[in-house]
């Protein structure tokens, strides 16, 4: 966010929590689609208005960063400034909506990485008849005793967390692409 300058600092008592410098910014957290403010603990887009810039002020600048406000005031570090759980959680341009549920690839990947037997995955986002669907192909590690059972466990976990049924299919070993640098595991069709 070179347009705004320094916006946050890490909480000295809680690593991973960022405080917005409210003496320099008016910060809002809004729903990226509607622009309406979101409730506490709900993820939304950070919108900033600069207070000290006279040459190039920014009014309701949409950062594209997804954040989550913590409803604790004051913080345990004694700051009254807006606190953001986990810092920047993702980007709005990464998000897509599946049957009314906002899905962030990083959130899906966070869930999948909890499964030790998972070796690789590939997600497909398709749109048919104006309906967006998400499906997963997974590859298990060679020592996984029951790949189909793992697929069922992953599907149940995704449904629990996102309230969304995501079909999970087991791919044959070695069939999903591997990446040396940044992985491209998400396919939009």
């Amino acid at each position: 966010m070179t347009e705004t300058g320094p916006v946050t600092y890490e909480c000295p008592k809680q690593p991973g929590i960022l405080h917005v410098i409210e003496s320099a910014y008016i910060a809002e957290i809004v729903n990226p689609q509607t622009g309406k403010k979101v409730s506490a603990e709900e993820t939304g887009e950070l919108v900033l208005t600069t207070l000290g810039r006279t040459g190039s002020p920014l009014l309701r600048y949409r950062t594209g960063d997804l954040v989550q406000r913590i409803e604790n005031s004051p913080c345990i570090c004694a700051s009254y400034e807006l606190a953001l759980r986990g810092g920047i959680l993702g980007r709005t341009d990464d998000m897509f909506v599946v049957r009314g549920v906002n899905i962030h690839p990083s959130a899906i990947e966070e869930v999948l990485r909890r499964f030790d037997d998972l070796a690789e995955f590939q997600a497909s986002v398709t749109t048919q008849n104006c309906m967006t669907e998400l499906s997963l192909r997974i590859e298990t590690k060679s020592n996984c005793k029951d790949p189909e059972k793992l697929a069922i466990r992953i599907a149940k976990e995704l449904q629990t967390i996102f309230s969304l049924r995501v079909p999970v299919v087991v791919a044959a070993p070695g069939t999903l692409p591997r990446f040396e640098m940044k992985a491209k595991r998400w396919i939009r069709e």
Side-chain angles (χ1 to χ4, degrees), residues 37-58:
K37 288 186 181 183
V38 298
S39 60
E41 308 292 329
E42 190 177 347
T43 301
E45 181 180 4
L46 181 63
V47 176
L48 297 170
T49 297
T50 57
L51 295 175
R53 296 212 169 189
T54 54
S56 59
L58 297 172

Side-chain angles (χ1 to χ4, degrees), residues 93-160:
D93 49 5
D94 290 341
M95 184 183 74
F96 52 94
V97 180
V98 177
R99 287 185 253 127
V101 178
N102 294 347
I103 299 292
H104 305 280
S106 59
I108 297 287
E109 188 160 351
E110 182 181 320
V111 171
L112 294 176
R113 294 298 169 211
R114 296 178 193 163
F115 294 91
D116 293 332
D117 287 338
L118 181 69
E120 189 58 76
F121 76 93
Q122 189 173 59
S124 294
V125 180
T126 57
T127 303
Q128 293 179 342
N129 299 326
C130 298
M131 184 69 92
T132 301
E133 297 291 338
L134 171 64
S135 62
L136 293 174
R137 292 176 57 209
I138 64 166
E139 218 178 281
T140 62
K141 292 181 179 173
S142 59
N143 62 350
C144 179
K145 292 182 173 48
D146 193 345
E148 292 299 328
K149 190 173 182 178
L150 177 64
I152 291 167
R153 286 178 42 225
I154 290 171
K156 283 182 180 178
E157 184 72 6
L158 292 171
Q159 185 170 8
T160 299

